[in-house]
């Protein structure tokens, strides 16, 4: 399939996706903002992980590393078919991936439901295969759950936020909700891209709806 002249707002099938590679891309082990913390396993005992896609992953990652209770973050690619894709391949629309953020958090300090609130309020989840001026399948909104508990909480949170969006005159949520198959780490220069020692004034295309997402109204304990 040609990299040019195709509609990047349409997802490719597994058969159409480019082949990728067996070896992971070279990435650091430590976080640029919290240099004593790992962005790859092993993580501290008791920590949990979550994976979200909410547009350009530069600003999305910063949103989460600034969230209290989050131990570490990393950017990468999820939801597609091509193993170990490069940034250029993902941007071609021929891998099926979206730009994603891996969030490592302490559930004693921040709940998954609270992370979902950050997710919903940090972008516009009604835009389909785009986020603002960024257009293409790699910018789609997505939640990739790691177990049934996350799935149930994500579904409940989506329903709650849809009610809030509808009341404010917004459209239907288009967020992809699916099990996490694989998270592929992005290249070194993308990790913590907007940190002070890299690009503190770099591009951030995030923009929310201004609608608050209620918490505490979803799945009961």
């Amino acid at each position: 399939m040609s990299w040019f002249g195709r509609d990047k707002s349409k997802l490719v099938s597994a058969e159409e996706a480019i082949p990728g590679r067996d070896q992971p891309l070279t990435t650091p082990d430590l976080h640029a903002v919290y240099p004593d913390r790992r962005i790859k396993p092993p993580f501290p005992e008791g920590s949990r992980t979550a994976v979200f896609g909410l547009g350009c992953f530069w600003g999305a990652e910063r949103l989460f590393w600034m969230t209290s209770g989050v131990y570490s973050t990393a950017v990468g690619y999820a939801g597609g078919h091509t193993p170990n894709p490069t940034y250029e391949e993902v941007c071609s629309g021929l891998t099926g991936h979206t730009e994603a953020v891996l969030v490592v958090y302490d559930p004693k300090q921040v709940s998954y439901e609270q992370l979902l609130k950050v997710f919903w309020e940090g972008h516009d989840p009604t835009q389909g295969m785009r986020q603002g001026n960024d257009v293409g399948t790699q910018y789609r909104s997505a939640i990739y759950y790691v177990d049934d508990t996350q799935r149930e909480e994500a579904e409940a949170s989506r329903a709650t936020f849809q009610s809030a969006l509808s009341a404010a005159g917004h459209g239907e949520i288009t967020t992809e909700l699916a099990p996490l198959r694989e998270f592929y780490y992005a290249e070194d220069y993308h990790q913590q891209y907007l940190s002070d020692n890299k690009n503190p004034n770099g591009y951030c295309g995030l923009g929310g709806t201004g609608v608050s997402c209620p918490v505490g109204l979803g799945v009961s304990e």
Side-chain angles (χ1 to χ4, degrees), residues 28-52:
D29 291 329
L30 301 178
H31 201 280
V33 178
Y34 307 115
D36 59 337
R37 303 181 187 181
R38 295 181 58 83
I39 68 171
K40 297 177 181 177
F43 300 126
E45 183 177 356
S47 62
R48 297 178 184 173
T49 60
V51 175
F52 303 105

Side-chain angles (χ1 to χ4, degrees), residues 186-207:
E187 294 86 339
D188 185 1
Y189 72 96
H190 290 299
Q191 303 298 335
Q192 300 85 57
Y193 183 84
L194 295 181
S195 60
D196 288 344
N197 60 341
K198 285 192 174 184
N199 300 281
N201 298 313
Y203 170 78
C204 175
L206 288 189

